[in-house]
Amino acid sequence: MNWISNYVRPKINSLFSRREVPENLWTKCPDCGQMLFHRELADALNVCPNCNSHMYISPRRRFEALFDGGLYMDVAVPEPLADPLHFRDKKRYADRLKDARRESEAPDAMLVAEGEIGRMKTVVAIQDYKFMSGSMGMYVGNAFIAAAERAVALKCPLVVFTAAGGARMQEGILSLMQMPRTTVAVQMLKEAGLPYIVVLTHATTGGVTASYAMLGDVQIAEPNALICFAGPRVIEQTIRETLPEGFQRAEYLLDHGMLDMVVDRKSLRRELGRVLHLLMKAPPMVAGDLPPPSEPALPPAEPAAEPAAAGPAAAGPAADTAAKAPDAPARAEGAEKP
Amino acid sequence: MHAYLEFEKGLAEIEGKAEELRAMARTNDGMDVEAEAKALDKKAAALLKELYGSLTPWQKCQVARHPDRPHCIDYIDALFTDYTPLAGDRNFADDHAVMGGLARLDDAPVMVIGLEKGSDTRSRLDRNFGMARPEGYRKAIRLMDLADRFGLPVITLIDTPGAYPGKGAEERGQAEAIARSTEKCLNLKVPLVSVITGEGGSGGAVAFATADRLAMLEHSVYSVISPEGCASILWKDAEKMREAAEALRLTAQDLEQLGVIDRIVKEPLGGAQRDRRATIEAVRKALPKLLDEVRELPADELIRLRRRKYLDMGSKALVA
């Protein structure tokens, strides 16, 4: 028995799991159809090198790309009441939520972290479109408020990356109430005199656009991101005509005065850093990639926050470990929540 | 002629019969139908009581949308004096879906702002069925700002299917306008009291209803999405609006339990549409009470409590 369970079974398992690997090696760009090698795509932060299509990127990858040396700490988010309406459509909301949590290994559609951008302490909240379309419910509201409170406590800026299909219907009116709730959080920052920067990513719609996503001191968007209140399909049904090319895309919004700039993902870190340093009246950020801070310059976050210590880039100056394993798990260890 | 809702069919038949009998008696002298008609009246009254005593959420949506319910314009006419409409967002246009201006409530100057759906084809088109565009929200912001500077309490009356989903509205920043209006509500240094009189349609309502005190008429609804919209997304079938209405918990009664609203204003039997005057009177009684609860608070306390109220929202669950 021991021989079978210790030797034969792992062998068989490894044979099967190995077969799945080649499927993930190549990704087809949804816009230009180019086949992209996973390593190349990951290095480009999931932007197609051929057509500049900005594809989905996970919040963890974004945190890593954004913070100095890829180092950051999670900010704890208070758990809201689970399924307060006992909502059920074809499926129970409680089950949908459980499935989404299992699939994404994240607690909900927004993650919050603190770290440094060009040595400037910054709190960053990132909405995850893959988690139930990034929809805004009580948890996202709590995450946003926790992010704002942390920024106020640290006297540092808040940067929010938005992406959402809108409010989370399964939480009914309580999802709608996240609009005023998050707006209160934005006011906390404004009153503390701290910058609040919004980066709109594909797609940001509905109640999220109509609350914190449009209240930034500086509004940035990724190229071609769909940004709207009512989606194009709803509008087409209402006015019964086809909409112009590029309607409700980032560049269109820029033309209509709704944004300050459209910035490629690979330039985001530098642009954000510059804006933050200007608004915080700090000296200019040093160009280029900064190594990770040698000392943990940040005070510990809330007691429940777990430091994301050992991300691939956390190896610091001996960063060749990271170079050797660029496809190392994008998620920082120790960042998992119950 | 009273406009009956789909679930009032039985009621329509009985009341129709009674009406017919009486009409016959009027043309034929000496015919006595009163006893029979009265019996029908009694039956109708019992049925009305039964129907309205146990409206389903979907039925409430229908009642909330009933065209004969009093609208913003009716409340303003009846409840306020010296109404002085103000217009325009000073930027693009005057949105007729949003009406508002200076007025007196019990002699005290206030700012009243409301969403108006219109009551016949022409006025409905003019009011865009109560669906505001960005300039409507920006007009509301302007009026709130004015009230703020002159220390006038703000009263908002809400009845809207939602913000208008149109090309121009998007181009001019519908989302931004709603976000700023909600922000303005939260920043007001003067009391803000809101009443949802019919439909509280999603973000389009939040922009007006983020208030110190929020009341709802007994059969009005307030929801993140229409039951039809929710059904087509989650059930992939727009005909499942009954189930969606049920699941969304959009009735005044559920919302009170969730702590989202502060007061329910009772409607006359058979809904606001059956007795407009009594409905308006009920709102007349409720408004000053709501306002008195917050009128004396100093500005910073008012803002602090209003923010606390919204931050705390979601801590109450429904009883299973």
Side-chain angles (χ1 to χ4, degrees):
Chain A
M1 253 337 241
N2 267 349
W3 180 78
I4 289 173
S5 55
N6 288 344
Y7 183 74
V8 177
R9 204 175 285 160
K11 262 278 186 230
I12 291 170
N13 285 348
S14 73
L15 271 177
F16 279 102
S17 56
R18 213 175 285 157
R19 272 170 57 186
E20 287 167 18
V21 174
E23 288 171 24
N24 300 332
L25 283 177
W26 295 89
T27 303
K28 190 175 175 182
C29 171
D31 284 341
C32 69
Q34 177 105 339
M35 292 304 287
L36 303 163
F37 192 56
H38 70 112
R39 203 165 294 179
E40 183 189 19
L41 192 58
D43 286 348
L45 299 172
N46 293 7
V47 177
C48 174
N50 186 45
C51 73
N52 202 36
S53 168
H54 280 55
M55 296 173 220
Y56 171 83
I57 179 169
S58 76
R60 294 285 176 202
R61 278 287 289 142
R62 252 196 216 283
F63 283 141
E64 272 176 45
L66 205 57
F67 288 119
D68 294 351
L71 266 187
Y72 62 94
M73 291 188 284
D74 279 357
V75 171
V77 175
E79 270 292 330
L81 284 177
D83 191 14
L85 306 188
H86 319 291
F87 193 97
R88 180 186 195 123
D89 47 82
K90 285 167 141 179
K91 209 170 157 184
R92 283 173 50 208
Y93 171 48
D95 292 337
R96 274 187 203 274
L97 198 55
K98 224 181 279 169
D99 291 349
R101 284 183 172 183
R102 198 176 35 237
E103 269 166 42
S104 68
E105 296 178 50
D108 210 298
M110 187 182 272
L111 300 184
V112 186
E114 61 182 85
E116 294 184 356
I117 297 175
R119 291 291 184 269
M120 166 86 62
K121 260 189 278 181
T122 307
V123 175
V124 178
I126 302 184
Q127 213 157 356
D128 188 356
Y129 200 87
K130 281 228 168 127
F131 193 105
M132 294 187 76
S133 309
S135 55
M136 170 177 68
M138 282 297 295
Y139 188 98
V140 169
N142 282 2
F144 190 89
I145 292 164
E149 284 175 343
R150 188 68 188 146
V152 170
L154 293 170
K155 296 190 177 61
C156 78
L158 172 63
V159 178
V160 171
F161 288 74
T162 64
R168 190 169 295 168
M169 282 173 284
Q170 292 93 338
E171 293 185 19
I173 193 76
L174 294 179
S175 68
L176 195 65
M177 288 303 108
Q178 303 316 307
M179 292 172 66
R181 276 186 101 218
T182 53
T183 305
V184 171
V186 173
Q187 283 173 339
M188 291 177 195
L189 289 160
K190 292 197 172 164
E191 266 158 33
L194 297 166
Y196 168 54
I197 314 292
V198 178
V199 182
L200 298 120
T201 73
H202 185 71
T204 300
T205 70
V208 169
T209 320
S211 57
Y212 58 86
M214 277 292 157
L215 295 174
D217 297 317
V218 177
Q219 297 276 126
I220 303 174
E222 285 195 338
N224 204 36
L226 176 73
I227 303 157
C228 59
F229 176 66
R233 247 180 311 157
V234 177
I235 295 171
E236 279 182 339
Q237 279 164 15
T238 315
I239 62 172
R240 290 170 214 287
E241 59 179 281
T242 45
L243 295 164
E245 176 82 17
F247 183 66
Q248 298 180 320
R249 298 290 173 162
E251 295 74 10
Y252 195 90
L253 265 81
L254 184 68
D255 278 350
H256 284 82
M258 293 297 143
L259 302 173
D260 291 294
M261 54 186 104
V262 176
V263 177
D264 276 4
R265 194 174 289 161
K266 61 175 180 296
S267 313
L268 254 180
R269 190 179 128 82
R270 197 175 315 146
E271 285 295 333
L272 268 177
R274 185 165 57 219
V275 169
L276 294 178
H277 284 69
L278 284 166
L279 287 174
M280 294 296 282
K281 298 196 197 80
M285 186 169 73
V286 179
D289 282 335
L290 283 168
S294 48
E295 296 273 293
L298 298 164
E302 310 288 286
E306 293 151 4
D320 41 1
T321 9
K324 273 178 198 152
D327 50 346
R331 218 164 40 75
E333 278 176 36
E336 215 169 328
K337 291 232 186 69
Chain B
M1 177 61 199
H2 181 74
Y4 289 95
L5 295 167
E6 171 201 315
F7 68 89
E8 295 175 319
K9 231 178 181 172
L11 187 70
E13 271 169 31
I14 299 169
E15 287 187 338
K17 245 185 241 165
E19 181 57 38
E20 238 172 68
L21 277 178
R22 289 195 172 108
M24 251 159 60
R26 275 197 292 276
T27 48
N28 300 312
D29 269 350
M31 194 172 161
D32 187 19
V33 295
E34 211 30 51
E36 218 176 317
K38 277 221 168 101
L40 284 170
D41 283 350
K42 222 174 136 189
K43 216 169 134 189
L47 184 58
L48 189 69
K49 204 169 166 189
E50 193 194 314
L51 280 174
Y52 277 80
S54 57
L55 289 178
T56 65
W58 173 241
Q59 286 169 343
K60 285 205 184 236
C61 291
Q62 292 169 279
V63 175
R65 294 172 186 170
H66 198 293
D68 295 343
R69 284 175 81 85
H71 285 170
C72 179
I73 204 166
D74 306 312
Y75 290 106
I76 290 183
D77 270 355
L79 304 184
F80 299 87
T81 52
D82 277 358
Y83 175 57
T84 309
L86 300 174
D89 68 345
R90 298 297 181 271
N91 189 28
F92 181 77
D94 183 41
D95 187 341
H96 294 176
V98 175
M99 57 186 298
L102 297 160
R104 286 177 194 275
L105 179 70
D106 298 333
D107 291 333
V110 297
M111 183 69 79
V112 57
I113 307 169
L115 288 147
E116 172 56 43
K117 284 180 172 176
S119 47
D120 52 35
T121 309
R122 233 181 76 191
S123 62
R124 280 185 195 124
L125 286 172
D126 179 46
R127 304 283 183 185
N128 199 29
F129 301 87
M131 293 182 284
R133 298 181 167 94
E135 39 284 7
Y137 299 104
R138 288 178 184 136
K139 167 164 142 188
I141 294 169
R142 209 195 112 226
L143 300 196
M144 284 193 262
D145 190 56
L146 197 61
D148 214 2
R149 280 188 291 120
F150 291 92
L152 308 177
V154 180
I155 292 162
T156 59
L157 300 164
I158 295 139
D159 186 15
T160 177
Y164 183 61
K167 182 170 168 274
E170 289 288 319
E171 280 171 346
R172 296 193 297 278
Q174 185 73 299
E176 196 261 0
I178 292 171
R180 295 278 172 216
S181 185
T182 313
E183 188 183 42
K184 186 77 220 173
C185 289
L186 285 163
N187 270 340
L188 279 179
K189 295 193 286 288
V190 291
L192 171 56
V193 168
S194 294
V195 185
I196 297 177
T197 60
E199 280 183 281
S202 197
V206 170
F208 286 75
T210 305
D212 296 308
R213 290 292 181 273
L214 172 59
M216 279 175 81
L217 284 191
E218 189 184 353
H219 304 309
S220 62
V221 295
Y222 187 17
S223 180
V224 62
I225 187 169
S226 72
E228 294 93 328
C230 179
S232 70
I233 298 172
L234 289 182
W235 277 263
K236 314 263 182 262
D237 178 2
E239 292 299 306
K240 297 275 191 227
M241 63 267 189
R242 285 170 195 80
E243 288 86 339
E246 199 95 25
L248 282 167
R249 306 290 188 157
L250 41 65
T251 67
Q253 292 69 30
D254 278 342
L255 297 177
E256 191 184 36
Q257 226 188 95
L258 284 165
V260 171
I261 66 164
D262 304 288
R263 204 65 45 85
I264 295 177
V265 179
K266 241 178 121 44
E267 291 185 27
L269 183 63
Q273 72 275 12
R274 279 214 164 223
D275 192 343
R276 295 158 57 93
R277 268 213 6 227
T279 309
I280 292 171
E281 281 313 305
V283 174
R284 186 200 297 280
K285 282 208 191 92
L287 266 182
K289 279 190 203 152
L290 292 163
L291 202 51
D292 283 346
E293 290 175 19
V294 287
R295 203 196 290 268
E296 299 300 323
L297 291 170
D300 50 346
E301 185 67 357
L302 200 59
I303 292 173
R304 194 186 64 81
L305 289 172
R306 196 186 295 139
R307 290 183 184 178
R308 195 71 257 161
K309 173 184 170 181
Y310 282 94
L311 285 179
D312 287 345
M313 232 164 242
S315 47
K316 282 188 196 168
L318 284 177
V319 187

